[in-house]
Amino acid sequence: MQFNSTYNDLDRRHIIKLLASEGEEKKCLFKEAARVKKEHVGDIVYFRGLIEFSNLCHKNCLYCGIRSGNRKVVRYDLTDEEIIDSARYAFDNRYGSIVLQSGELESNAFTKRIDSLLKKINSLTHGGLRITLSCGEQEEDVYRQWFESGAQRYLLRIETSNPGLYSRLHPNDRKHSFNRRVDCLNNLKKIGYQAGTGVMIGLPFQTTADLADDLLFMQQNDIVMIGMGPYLEHTDTPLYKYRSLLLPREKRFDLTLKMIAVLRIIMKDINIAATTAMQAIDKLGREKAIMVGANVIMPNITPGSYRDDYLLYDGKPCIDENPEDCKTCLEARIAIAGNEIAYGEWGDSAHYSH
Ligand code: SF4
């Protein structure tokens, strides 16, 4: 398959073909993605210190290990001091940015709490950290309030751009609406956030055409940060009963690499994360993602004692490491992938223009 250097408008048919590629064709895809990455974002990886501050969630997504209906989960909620200490760790270690992630809650108390945390962290670091929120769907005025209090980025995964598939992954009620998810993404962009999204790859009932549409959805919506990972089943979820429909894990991993590579080719200057879920399948998963186009890694800086309670899927790696172990391990891994960590840099997507 031929590529040329101005390629950013692969059509759906062409993308489907690339996602099914094997052998020489696949090698060629990965080589081109690496070349585009080097040319447009450099062989550089940005750190986002991930603080999974609470696994409380009022939703019940059918694939998620911490959904509200799972009574086996030990629920936790870090104190504000613990969250601020983790942010301080990221700042002192020149991570450049953090991600505050939780299950989804919508209440005045939650809105105020996040607002206060944003102000405290910005004051502590003199605005030196870019702060990403990943706290689910909220009303537009809540997003606006948080933006004005110092959040610059927001991650809200669409999980799939196919509304029919979305409805098979979620309870069919007003709390789990595909349209609201899309509206929220649009509101985030309208307010001025660097908006991020992502999808799961290798879901039951998902087709290669769905995945091609996911990539086109990201392109058409001008998303500047993407985190995509293989779907990993969790035993205590309703979707687990469809596990016989799944591709083998190595195939889901391979498909994820191809998704990253195609995305890098069609959206040359966005930020693409090498997700932890990739490492759950392949020990060198994140390095491989970096080599085919990813340029962001999210070291987990949640205090270690809470990490095994934020299990969205079975077999999550690194849950018993402390932040220092995690950092040292990642430094070595990124060097293996021939890339360099950009310490002390925010690493805003070059694609984002405010
Ligand atoms: S995927 Fe997110 S919103 Fe859905 S149940 Fe899990 S934590 Fe809650």
Side-chain angles (χ1 to χ4, degrees), residues 54-69 75 101-105 134-137 159 169-170 175-176 181 200 310 312:
S54 171
N55 66 0
L56 298 171
C57 185
H58 71 164
K59 278 200 173 165
N60 217 0
C61 307
L62 303 180
Y63 48 84
C64 177
I66 63 168
R67 68 191 217 288
S68 59
R75 300 289 166 180
Q101 180 162 286
S102 67
E104 186 174 304
L105 296 175
S134 176
C135 302
E137 294 167 16
E159 306 299 3
L169 307 176
H170 298 89
K175 215 190 257 183
H176 299 81
R181 182 71 55 115
M200 290 183 284
Y310 203 96
L312 304 183

Side-chain angles (χ1 to χ4, degrees), residues 75-296:
R75 300 289 166 180
Y76 75 88
D77 194 12
L78 262 61
T79 64
D80 287 4
E81 288 67 35
E82 286 172 317
I83 296 170
I84 289 165
D85 282 350
S86 297
R88 186 182 288 115
Y89 172 87
F91 184 64
D92 291 347
N93 285 276
R94 305 181 61 237
Y95 276 21
S97 83
I98 55 170
V99 181
L100 296 180
Q101 180 162 286
S102 67
E104 186 174 304
L105 296 175
E106 282 190 84
S107 69
N108 286 339
F110 187 70
T111 301
K112 278 191 193 151
R113 183 183 186 209
I114 299 298
D115 195 66
S116 152
L117 280 166
L118 289 166
K119 288 175 179 154
K120 283 181 186 161
I121 293 170
N122 270 318
S123 158
L124 171 83
T125 60
H126 311 289
L129 280 178
R130 276 281 195 241
I131 306 177
T132 306
L133 292 177
S134 176
C135 302
E137 294 167 16
Q138 304 286 337
E139 292 299 318
E140 184 180 340
D141 59 344
V142 173
Y143 285 148
R144 193 174 299 283
Q145 183 179 343
W146 290 345
F147 184 74
E148 285 165 3
S149 294
Q152 298 93 356
R153 304 174 178 150
Y154 205 101
L155 286 176
L156 186 67
R157 280 183 170 220
I158 190 83
E159 306 299 3
T160 172
S161 62
N162 176 341
L165 180 55
Y166 192 94
S167 72
R168 299 181 88 162
L169 307 176
H170 298 89
N172 286 310
D173 58 29
R174 287 174 57 201
K175 215 190 257 183
H176 299 81
S177 152
F178 177 82
N179 290 340
R180 185 178 189 220
R181 182 71 55 115
V182 174
D183 287 346
C184 283
L185 268 175
N186 286 333
N187 286 338
L188 289 164
K189 284 193 299 172
K190 184 171 77 182
I191 292 166
Y193 280 97
Q194 298 176 44
T197 194
V199 295
M200 290 183 284
I201 296 160
L203 286 158
F205 318 114
Q206 188 181 47
T207 65
T208 313
D210 287 330
L211 291 169
D213 289 338
D214 290 344
L215 295 173
L216 293 169
F217 173 92
M218 293 165 196
Q219 190 184 40
Q220 283 151 10
N221 284 280
D222 212 24
I223 300 292
V224 299
M225 314 183 295
I226 301 292
M228 307 185 278
Y231 164 64
L232 297 170
E233 61 276 28
H234 189 296
T235 326
D236 300 316
T237 58
L239 213 62
Y240 191 67
K241 65 173 178 270
Y242 297 113
R243 63 192 179 282
S244 64
L245 302 180
L246 299 173
L247 290 170
R249 286 189 158 208
E250 312 74 60
K251 293 258 183 216
R252 280 178 258 166
F253 177 82
D254 193 54
L255 199 47
T256 306
L257 286 180
K258 289 186 253 187
M259 287 282 284
I260 290 174
V262 175
L263 182 63
R264 175 56 72 199
I265 291 168
I266 64 171
M267 297 189 80
K268 300 179 189 328
D269 55 359
I270 63 167
N271 283 337
I272 305 175
T275 56
T276 311
M278 300 196 74
Q279 198 190 330
I281 295 184
D282 183 323
K283 282 197 170 62
L284 296 175
R286 285 188 287 190
E287 293 85 324
K288 289 179 181 173
I290 288 168
M291 289 193 273
V292 300
N295 67 330
V296 165

Side-chain angles (χ1 to χ4, degrees), residues 47 89 93 95 279 286 299-302 304 307 318-333 343:
F47 270 3
Y89 172 87
N93 285 276
Y95 276 21
Q279 198 190 330
R286 285 188 287 190
N300 197 333
I301 57 170
T302 310
R307 289 194 199 178
C318 306
I319 55 175
D320 50 4
E321 289 182 352
N322 63 42
E324 201 52 50
D325 291 340
C326 200
K327 176 169 171 262
T328 311
C329 160
L330 282 173
E331 280 173 353
R333 287 169 175 276
Y343 279 116

